[in-house]
Amino acid sequence: MMNENYNGVEPQKGQIAPKARTESIESLGSKSESRGSLAQQTEEKAGDLGQVKFTKNTEDSAVEIGAVDVSFAGMGKEELMKYANDPFWIRVRWTLFALFWICWVAMLVIAIVIVVLAPKCPAPAPLEYWQKGVVYSVNPKSFQDSGLNQDGKGDLRGIIGRLNHFVHLGVNMISISPIFATRDDDPPYGHEIVNFLEINPTYGDLQDLKDLTTAAKQEGLKIILDLVINHASTKHPWFVQSAADARGDCGDCFVWHDGKDGGPPNNWLSIFGNTSWTYDADRKQYYYHVYGPDQPDLNLRSVKVQNELKNITRFWLEQGVSGFRLLSVPYLFEAANMTVDEPQIPGISPGSYASLDHIHTKNLDETYNFVSDLRAVLQEFEDKDGEHRVLFVEAEDTEGASAMKYYGDATKPIADLPVNSKFIRQQAGFTGLGLKKEILSYLEQVSQVHGWPNWVLGNGDTERVASRLGSKLIDAMAMVQLLIPGTPFTYYGDEIGMEDVPSAGGVILSCPTGNKLTADSHCNQARSPYQWDSSNTVGFTNASTPWYPVGSNTDTINAKDQMGVTNSYLNIYRELVNLRKQPAIMHGSMSVLNVTTEDIFAFTRIRKGAPGYLVVLNLGEKEASVDFSTEPTIPTEAQAVIRSSTAVSNSTTRGSKVDTASVPVGVSEGLVLSFVPKY
């Protein structure tokens, strides 16, 4: 029903809205009378604004809605425009607008200042590829035969065919034993060099090396050559000329001197024992050789020799190699006065190299200076393309301050790494306390000269790790070598647990430590062909017989089978190499823990903001449960990450949560745990 009081027009400002009501059907007949009555009621109740009332009498009932006060319905457009254009309000608006942006910018500046000035972990110093990576040492004769000449000997083409192996392992540097032309095609050491600018035909030719360096770079690998600069062969043209004519162009290319009292000029000894002087009937003088008589020492006091050696390094760098490992470096210079004897060391049998204090023939100041000159040659190439060329120095048994001097300093850099052979010289096995002493003392020496540490477990001049320390310790010692600070050197085959292999006569020779070989000991048992698979020729060659016998344990000690076994030596090695990428390993601190004893060796690697790692070795003869609850940085629980292939405990399987108050470690076992460090 339409309310007849509503006329469809909105009330003007100040007016009273009309009332709405409902009427009964009975009242419709007397509408005029009712209207008069209601009008009177409206006048009486005009003040009852906005109220709702229900009224009832004998004739009528109704719902009444009081008038709505619409005295203010907002400002109109005209009034708003007056304020909008008022100068006062314009200033107010601009003031508030400016304050908003000032406050916003101020908060942004404050946030930036907090981010910049708030205490935070310092960014680690960037590391070079040779610091982050792993050096893999290869004997080219024993790594892979390409099959080009069916001679059963490895070559450079064979290495090219196996580059995927290095990629699979995760290593990034390949150090190749001497490959230079020698007096015969089958040299025992590769040190009796007759031409420093040619490659031994056994290994290939110059193009093969160029192809190797190119292919390696495509895989992200660096090729490093072992370079002999201390001596050459008696068949080298330089020596032939020097022996024939003392006044000739190469008369002083080697170390010559007259004898004394019918014998050698002095008491200097060869590394192989006995005198280091040999008489030459043509020149009627003695020549000096710190190694064997077939390897006369170059005279680095000769400017000609120094220049020749610098040019040799330039030549090989031009072929694409990424650096060198210099061999026999401590013996580069001898005293200018060759009439002086070296002091005898009391208590050591005369005649052995160790019986003399080599103050005139080893690590002379001139040696450090010349190696620094070679460093400058490498820098020439780095300056051209920005790629660092590495220089490693094989300092052999040099230790302490003499070894540390090979690092040089900021004003006169020498070697990136003087190769550290401490682990190699440990023949009787390790104890926890012995490891602690060796590692911490070496790290302290390196830190004092701001150098970078490195660790070598095996090479071709000593027994293999598996034979020297026992196969059960292969994984545990790899954990130490790969997870303590520094660059590790891996000798080919050690990553799969290869052992010494007897010669064809079934004899295993005794290899002295510290790279000291006896004159009649080639130590080839540590240089047997790489065991790629379990076939008769172990995947090394297509020839009927390899150049040296293969191992008797090839059914399990071979790369192919171990690739398919999760907890094999090979895959544990790969996992450890990969673990090196973690911030705690690459940049973190190392702490040898208090639980270390004769039987237990344990250390942590920790960096704030990253998972920490706990490494524990059992070097004893019985199982152990190690309690780390008193170590302040180790929480009550850790997670097993890697363990030795021989481990059998159900509580240390990969991913298991381990109670750090009771960590089970089997005999000769290593275990790596990850944890969230406590601070």
Side-chain angles (χ1 to χ4, degrees):
M1 176 186 297
M2 182 176 289
N3 186 350
E4 63 183 5
N5 290 326
Y6 177 66
N7 58 12
V9 180
E10 293 292 334
Q12 298 296 318
K13 183 179 179 181
Q15 290 184 333
I16 304 299
K19 296 180 180 179
R21 69 187 179 89
T22 60
E23 299 175 310
S24 65
I25 296 176
E26 292 81 0
S27 66
L28 293 175
S30 55
K31 187 178 292 183
S32 59
E33 182 179 348
S34 297
R35 286 175 179 168
S37 175
L38 288 172
Q40 183 179 0
Q41 293 176 14
T42 300
E43 292 175 359
E44 293 174 352
K45 300 179 180 180
D48 298 334
L49 301 176
Q51 297 184 3
V52 179
K53 293 185 178 182
F54 177 79
T55 60
K56 181 179 181 183
N57 52 40
T58 58
E59 298 180 354
D60 195 10
S61 61
V63 176
E64 299 180 356
I65 301 175
V68 178
D69 184 5
V70 291
S71 58
F72 180 75
M75 291 187 293
K77 180 178 180 181
E78 294 79 4
E79 289 184 278
L80 286 172
M81 291 304 296
K82 287 192 299 182
Y83 287 105
N85 296 325
D86 188 308
F88 171 76
W89 292 108
I90 291 175
R91 288 193 298 270
V92 170
R93 287 198 306 274
W94 279 108
T95 301
L96 293 176
F97 180 79
L99 286 174
F100 169 80
W101 284 107
I102 290 172
C103 292
W104 189 89
V105 172
M107 288 188 293
L108 178 63
V109 171
I110 292 172
I112 294 174
V113 170
I114 291 174
V115 171
V116 172
L117 299 182
K120 52 186 175 293
C121 296
L127 298 178
E128 297 277 359
Y129 68 85
W130 54 271
Q131 296 171 311
K132 295 184 291 186
V134 177
V135 181
Y136 190 98
S137 299
V138 167
N139 181 347
K141 186 177 179 181
S142 298
F143 194 66
Q144 179 65 57
D145 179 12
S146 66
L148 293 178
N149 51 13
Q150 296 291 309
D151 62 355
K153 299 173 185 176
D155 47 41
L156 295 178
R157 286 282 165 193
I159 297 175
I160 294 175
R162 292 292 188 178
L163 289 179
N164 62 323
H165 181 67
F166 306 109
V167 175
H168 183 71
L169 291 178
V171 304
N172 66 335
M173 291 169 281
I174 306 171
S175 175
I176 302 179
S177 299
I179 57 174
F180 310 108
T182 54
R183 65 174 183 170
D184 57 57
D185 292 343
D186 193 19
Y189 310 119
H191 287 204
E192 299 172 13
I193 298 171
V194 297
N195 192 327
F196 287 95
L197 302 181
E198 290 184 1
I199 292 177
N200 191 309
T202 297
Y203 305 135
D205 56 28
L206 192 58
Q207 187 59 50
D208 292 334
L209 179 67
K210 291 180 179 179
D211 292 344
L212 173 58
T213 58
T214 300
K217 287 179 180 179
Q218 292 174 350
E219 298 291 347
L221 302 168
K222 309 286 187 181
I223 299 298
I224 301 166
L225 291 187
D226 285 6
L227 180 61
V228 182
I229 59 173
N230 177 72
H231 49 270
S233 168
T234 51
K235 303 297 183 181
H236 194 293
W238 294 348
F239 186 83
V240 174
Q241 296 171 24
S242 187
D245 186 359
R247 299 177 181 273
D249 186 48
C250 212
D252 65 345
C253 288
F254 294 84
V255 181
W256 296 92
H257 205 275
D258 295 330
K260 181 175 66 175
D261 299 330
N266 53 45
N267 71 339
W268 299 353
L269 296 175
S270 164
I271 284 176
F272 298 145
N274 300 318
T275 181
S276 58
W277 294 95
T278 294
Y279 185 74
D280 182 82
D282 292 333
R283 180 151 167 165
K284 296 180 173 53
Q285 281 186 311
Y286 286 86
Y287 65 88
Y288 176 76
H289 51 86
V290 73
Y291 291 97
D294 293 332
Q295 298 166 285
D297 277 38
L298 290 164
N299 177 22
L300 272 80
R301 295 188 182 279
S302 164
V303 174
K304 173 181 170 60
V305 171
Q306 290 195 17
N307 289 336
E308 289 286 353
L309 293 177
K310 292 175 185 178
N311 288 332
I312 288 168
T313 60
R314 290 189 181 96
F315 175 81
W316 293 111
L317 289 171
E318 289 168 353
Q319 311 314 310
V321 304
S322 296
F324 303 97
R325 183 173 69 159
L326 303 181
L327 304 183
S328 307
V329 171
Y331 317 111
L332 293 183
F333 281 83
E334 303 77 32
N337 181 4
M338 298 184 190
T339 63
V340 294
D341 287 343
E342 291 188 323
Q344 179 77 33
I345 297 178
I348 300 179
S349 300
S352 68
Y353 185 73
S355 67
L356 298 181
D357 184 3
H358 304 288
I359 59 175
H360 301 307
T361 57
K362 190 175 180 181
N363 295 317
L364 302 190
D365 289 341
E366 295 91 334
T367 296
Y368 300 102
N369 293 336
F370 181 70
V371 178
S372 180
D373 291 342
L374 292 183
R375 168 81 267 169
V377 173
L378 273 66
Q379 189 64 43
E380 295 173 6
F381 287 78
E382 182 173 347
D383 291 341
K384 293 177 183 178
D385 58 17
E387 180 182 341
H388 183 71
R389 270 65 170 188
V390 297
L391 186 63
F392 303 151
V393 167
E394 189 69 65
E396 301 198 357
D397 60 350
T398 300
E399 294 186 0
S402 295
M404 296 302 106
K405 284 179 66 176
Y406 282 108
Y407 283 107
D409 54 40
T411 60
K412 188 178 181 181
I414 303 180
D416 294 308
L417 298 176
V419 177
N420 169 31
S421 301
K422 282 179 174 290
F423 284 171
I424 289 181
R425 288 191 291 277
Q426 186 67 38
Q427 293 289 294
F430 293 96
T431 66
L433 293 177
L435 264 180
K436 175 181 179 180
K437 179 181 177 181
E438 289 282 1
I439 293 171
L440 294 186
S441 63
Y442 172 72
L443 289 177
E444 175 61 23
Q445 292 172 3
V446 173
S447 68
Q448 290 177 357
V449 296
H450 307 289
W452 183 257
N454 67 96
W455 310 92
V456 181
L457 267 177
N459 64 23
D461 296 336
T462 188
E463 292 90 348
R464 284 192 174 274
V465 173
S467 297
R468 192 170 80 245
L469 303 178
S471 59
K472 289 185 177 180
L473 273 178
I474 291 174
D475 296 326
M477 289 308 301
M479 292 174 187
V480 174
Q481 183 195 26
L482 291 166
L483 300 183
I484 57 179
T487 299
F489 284 69
T490 297
Y491 184 58
Y492 83 98
D494 283 351
E495 79 277 11
I496 61 173
M498 284 179 60
E499 299 176 355
D500 288 348
V501 177
S503 64
V507 177
I508 290 185
L509 302 173
S510 176
C511 286
T513 62
N515 301 334
K516 293 187 179 67
L517 302 172
T518 59
D520 58 352
S521 172
H522 296 170
C523 292
N524 280 333
Q525 65 261 24
R527 302 171 185 168
S528 61
Y530 191 94
Q531 297 169 190
W532 294 104
D533 58 39
S534 58
S535 64
N536 290 337
T537 56
V538 294
F540 165 72
T541 182
N542 292 326
S544 58
T545 304
W547 76 273
Y548 191 83
V550 299
S552 60
N553 55 359
T554 58
D555 54 334
T556 57
I557 306 302
N558 70 80
K560 181 179 179 179
D561 289 341
Q562 289 191 23
M563 285 181 187
V565 179
T566 302
N567 66 334
S568 65
Y569 295 135
L570 176 65
N571 283 321
I572 288 174
Y573 177 88
R574 290 180 61 236
E575 290 183 67
L576 291 169
V577 171
N578 187 59
L579 193 62
R580 285 175 53 81
K581 301 174 184 177
Q582 294 298 314
I585 306 299
M586 197 68 4
H587 303 287
S589 62
M590 173 190 167
S591 298
V592 177
L593 304 181
N594 294 326
V595 299
T596 295
T597 62
E598 287 291 318
D599 293 339
I600 300 298
F601 178 69
F603 65 93
T604 56
R605 299 300 310 274
I606 294 176
R607 178 171 173 78
K608 286 188 177 181
Y613 292 93
L614 167 63
V615 182
V616 54
L617 276 65
N618 181 356
L619 302 171
E621 297 180 355
K622 59 182 180 179
E623 295 182 1
S625 177
V626 187
D627 181 5
F628 295 98
S629 61
T630 59
E631 297 293 339
T633 60
I634 298 179
T636 57
E637 188 177 74
Q639 184 174 13
V641 178
I642 303 173
R643 67 176 187 172
S644 292
S645 56
T646 56
V648 295
S649 173
N650 292 328
S651 59
T652 59
T653 56
R654 185 190 308 272
S656 298
K657 301 296 183 180
V658 180
D659 180 3
T660 56
S662 179
V663 178
V665 193
V667 177
S668 299
E669 178 184 335
L671 178 64
V672 181
L673 304 171
S674 67
F675 63 94
V676 178
K678 297 191 303 182
Y679 298 105

